[in-house]
Amino acid sequence: MSKNKKRKMIREGKEESIIERLEEYIIPIYPKWRERRVPASEEKIEEWNKRCENLLPEAYLQYLKYMGEGDGELLSNSLQAETKLSEMMKWYEGEEIDLQRIEFAILDIGCGEGWYIVTKENGKQVIETEIGSIHSDSEEEDYVEYAESFEKMLCQEAYFLYEPKYYKYRGSIPINYEKSEKLVKRLKKEGKDIFEEIERESKRYGFEKAWYSDRNNYIGIKENMSFYIERGNRIEISGRIRGKSLKEVKRMRKKFRKFLEE
């Protein structure tokens, strides 16, 4: 827990600078992050990118460049997965790579389930996972969207790992499932989106939407406080709030609960 470190927001920028921007957020709370990272060699990165027909997003290439053989806990810890490039290359040695769904992380304990960079004709490369859906009978339903991009996923995982270390006080935003389901369905009928309504409501209290929010996670940030709302299965919603002041955390917790269950 950091009592004196002032939290910097993760800046939006070009994918080439993603690691620099993450460092601004992580280093104040985790000073040894740089020295605990192990980069992948340029030769291995070039070889892997070539095997993937140069479809890997720039943010992932930067990840490999700075921490491809050890990320100091960023994804390896948050995903509980093997993310080392050398291990991915061994995994696919002699195997054909699915160029429409390129794997970059494999669950440490499991049957090979993992996380994938999905390449699409429109150029957008979303992140999908099969974790939690491996018992599905339909292959089409085995993969679910995890994040809108590799860059946004890095920022989200950094937020989930390190935001609690900036602030002493935190709490869940208790949301009744039936009430939240009715709210989501009602808004959908009205042509509205729950995250758009959360953004509108949270702005009343000084929160700004984090640029790395996406269809599955809404993150609101202001000085000395932040919150996130997760949307599971496009309907079920849950959230947590963190802050410097216990009084403010309790106050905002009640306001968000009231809004989400109205």
Side-chain angles (χ1 to χ4, degrees):
M1 180 64 57
S2 174
K3 295 181 180 180
N4 302 312
K5 298 293 184 182
K6 183 177 175 61
R7 181 258 279 136
K8 288 187 177 181
M9 299 181 187
I10 304 173
R11 294 182 293 111
E12 188 173 9
K14 294 182 179 180
E15 288 191 36
E16 289 87 344
S17 67
I18 181 57
I19 306 305
E20 174 188 341
R21 290 181 282 124
L22 284 172
E23 286 180 343
E24 293 174 351
Y25 175 70
I26 297 173
I27 295 296
I29 203 73
Y30 183 19
K32 294 185 178 181
W33 189 44
R34 283 195 191 98
E35 64 187 71
R36 290 182 178 173
R37 298 186 323 223
V38 182
S41 68
E42 291 184 11
E43 293 76 16
K44 282 187 177 180
I45 296 173
E46 185 178 350
E47 178 185 348
W48 187 243
N49 197 24
K50 186 175 181 180
R51 280 199 66 189
C52 296
E53 297 190 3
N54 298 309
L55 292 171
L56 299 175
E58 182 62 36
Y60 181 54
L61 293 174
Q62 292 296 317
Y63 172 86
L64 295 177
K65 178 181 177 181
Y66 285 92
M67 60 194 89
E69 294 298 340
D71 63 10
E73 80 174 10
L74 183 54
L75 294 186
S76 54
N77 184 21
S78 59
L79 302 182
Q80 292 293 295
E82 177 59 76
T83 60
K84 293 177 183 177
L85 178 58
S86 57
E87 293 301 318
M88 297 304 303
M89 294 178 80
K90 286 180 184 178
W91 184 268
Y92 281 95
E93 189 173 357
E95 299 288 333
E96 185 177 351
I97 298 173
D98 181 354
L99 295 176
Q100 293 182 327
R101 185 174 280 110
I102 301 171
E103 194 164 21
F104 67 87
I106 303 172
L107 191 66
D108 277 338
I109 303 175
C111 303
E113 314 91 63
W115 285 261
Y116 304 83
I117 297 165
V118 181
T119 58
K120 295 186 176 182
E121 292 181 359
N122 60 11
K124 293 185 178 181
Q125 296 172 306
V126 302
I127 303 302
E128 290 186 348
T129 182
E130 56 197 331
I131 307 302
S133 59
I134 59 174
H135 300 297
S136 171
D137 293 328
S138 171
E139 291 186 3
E140 294 298 323
E141 298 177 356
D142 277 351
Y143 300 95
V144 295
E145 185 175 309
Y146 190 78
E148 284 185 8
S149 69
F150 191 84
E151 182 185 26
K152 286 192 174 184
M153 183 192 69
L154 284 178
C155 295
Q156 289 174 10
E157 298 303 333
Y159 171 85
F160 295 140
L161 270 179
Y162 300 110
E163 191 75 359
K165 296 183 180 181
Y166 276 103
Y167 298 124
K168 179 179 181 180
Y169 301 108
R170 68 200 76 168
S172 62
I173 300 174
I175 306 167
N176 179 278
Y177 174 75
E178 292 182 358
K179 289 182 179 180
S180 67
E181 182 181 18
K182 288 180 181 179
L183 173 62
V184 171
K185 289 182 176 179
R186 174 174 63 78
L187 290 172
K188 187 176 182 180
K189 285 183 179 180
E190 296 173 358
K192 300 177 182 178
D193 179 77
I194 181 62
F195 281 179
E196 291 176 355
E197 294 302 300
I198 289 172
E199 181 176 8
R200 177 187 60 78
E201 179 70 10
S202 64
K203 278 187 175 181
R204 294 175 54 198
Y205 307 110
F207 289 97
E208 292 294 329
K209 176 183 176 181
W211 66 269
Y212 48 90
S213 300
D214 59 17
R215 292 180 288 267
N216 301 308
N217 293 283
Y218 184 96
I219 298 169
I221 296 178
K222 68 176 182 177
E223 189 173 0
N224 297 326
M225 184 173 283
S226 71
F227 75 92
Y228 77 87
I229 302 291
E230 178 183 15
R231 174 164 49 184
N233 302 320
R234 300 292 182 188
I235 293 178
E236 184 178 1
I237 54 178
S238 60
R240 295 189 70 83
I241 188 165
R242 305 177 173 100
K244 187 176 181 180
S245 165
L246 177 59
K247 182 180 178 181
E248 277 299 293
V249 167
K250 287 183 175 181
R251 185 176 76 90
M252 293 309 307
R253 182 173 177 264
K254 289 179 181 178
K255 288 187 177 295
F256 278 119
R257 180 180 183 181
K258 181 181 179 181
F259 168 72
L260 291 166
E261 292 187 352
E262 68 179 9

